[in-house]
Amino acid sequence: METNAALDALSALAQKSRLAVFRRLVELGPAGATPGELAEAVGIAATTLSFHLRTLAQAGLIAAEQNGRSITYRADFAAMQDLVGYLTENCCGGDPELCAPVPARRR
């Protein structure tokens, strides 16, 4: 992943509602969700959601599929993995044996 693409993705995720939408789409997996389902799940207005979906799509983190009159949004898992790879490619000087295990996430 190029640095500018990583910056675009990180910038898109650096907003509470967009991060919530992206995390919800990751949670849903390949099934994805319609805008109405996403708006209800994250508790934001449809007009606001549209802006956030456009930003995430422009950053390459989600994709939209038109199905007749509805649109299904899905997380782009390859893009997410590329971003994580970009962030960790030089972890511990490139020696993965030096990297500490990831602690369990606290809620």
Side-chain angles (χ1 to χ4, degrees), residues 9 27 63 106:
E27 182 181 333
R106 295 182 189 180

Side-chain angles (χ1 to χ4, degrees), residues 11-23 51-53 55-56:
S11 178
L13 294 171
Q15 198 281 337
K16 186 177 180 177
S17 295
R18 284 193 295 272
L19 182 59
V21 168
F22 183 72
R23 292 189 71 201
F51 169 77
H52 293 310
L53 290 171
T55 301
L56 290 167

Side-chain angles (χ1 to χ4, degrees), residues 38-51:
L38 288 170
E40 184 177 331
V42 299
I44 59 176
T47 54
T48 304
L49 177 65
S50 176
F51 169 77

Side-chain angles (χ1 to χ4, degrees), residues 1-87:
M1 172 174 269
E2 297 290 324
T3 299
N4 287 340
L7 288 170
D8 289 344
L10 291 169
S11 178
L13 294 171
Q15 198 281 337
K16 186 177 180 177
S17 295
R18 284 193 295 272
L19 182 59
V21 168
F22 183 72
R23 292 189 71 201
R24 179 66 180 150
L25 288 172
V26 168
E27 182 181 333
L28 293 170
T34 64
E37 293 165 340
L38 288 170
E40 184 177 331
V42 299
I44 59 176
T47 54
T48 304
L49 177 65
S50 176
F51 169 77
H52 293 310
L53 290 171
R54 186 171 43 256
T55 301
L56 290 167
Q58 288 172 341
L61 293 169
I62 65 171
E65 180 183 339
Q66 186 83 35
N67 297 315
R69 296 181 116 183
S70 71
I71 300 173
T72 300
Y73 287 91
R74 293 179 181 83
D76 185 328
F77 291 96
M80 181 180 71
Q81 290 171 344
D82 285 348
L83 179 60
V84 171
Y86 176 85
L87 294 172

